[in-house]
Amino acid sequence: MARYTCSFLVSVPIAHLQALFIELLQDCGLEVQYYTADYIMAREMPGNVSFSKLVIVEVLIDKSTATETETRMSIVIKNEELPLQLNNHCRQVFDFVRQEIERSRNWHLIESLAG
């Protein structure tokens, strides 16, 4: 199973972060399946790649350390594909989503850590 993680510290009020992130995921071509105040799950739409390559994105918003101006969030992007190549489909989606987060005008990115 391919699995990629990263963490971000963004400067945006926590009350707005969830809606902004749902919009970002949808703009990336992902369908939001489930969300709560501190968790979002989205998936890639079937049709373009084989079923085992379909990507799932999980976003965890750390409300326990959030302030009025800064929020930490972690992202896990995974699929059932064996990562036999460094540049596999899951990695490509991970890099794309990470770049979109880093480029977003909706918040100021304070810190980005890829795992």
Side-chain angles (χ1 to χ4, degrees):
M1 178 154 105
R3 178 185 170 103
Y4 301 95
T5 63
C6 58
S7 296
F8 297 95
L9 182 62
V10 294
S11 178
V12 64
I14 193 164
H16 298 97
L17 183 60
Q18 181 192 50
L20 292 172
F21 211 85
I22 288 172
E23 182 180 335
L24 182 134
L25 291 171
Q26 291 171 336
D27 290 346
C28 289
L30 300 164
E31 179 182 29
V32 174
Q33 297 288 301
Y34 178 79
Y35 62 91
T36 63
D38 58 356
Y39 176 80
I40 303 168
M41 186 191 78
R43 70 179 177 103
E44 195 172 16
M45 300 291 284
N48 294 328
V49 295
S50 66
F51 186 74
S52 65
K53 290 184 179 184
L54 290 175
V55 171
I56 295 174
V57 177
E58 294 180 304
V59 180
L60 300 123
I61 301 169
D62 188 356
K63 293 178 75 177
S64 65
T65 61
T67 66
E68 285 294 317
T69 58
E70 294 181 358
T71 306
R72 182 168 298 280
M73 59 184 181
S74 298
I75 298 170
V76 178
I77 297 180
K78 60 188 178 181
N79 68 3
E80 296 298 322
E81 174 186 23
L82 290 175
L84 300 176
Q85 298 174 339
L86 183 61
N87 190 22
N88 58 62
H89 178 71
C90 190
R91 179 65 189 218
Q92 291 169 357
V93 173
F94 170 76
D95 288 340
F96 177 69
V97 171
R98 194 181 76 224
Q99 289 172 2
E100 291 301 306
I101 292 167
E102 292 172 353
R103 293 180 187 157
S104 178
R105 296 180 187 164
N106 292 319
W107 52 67
H108 173 71
L109 182 67
I110 298 170
E111 180 179 70
S112 173
L113 301 170

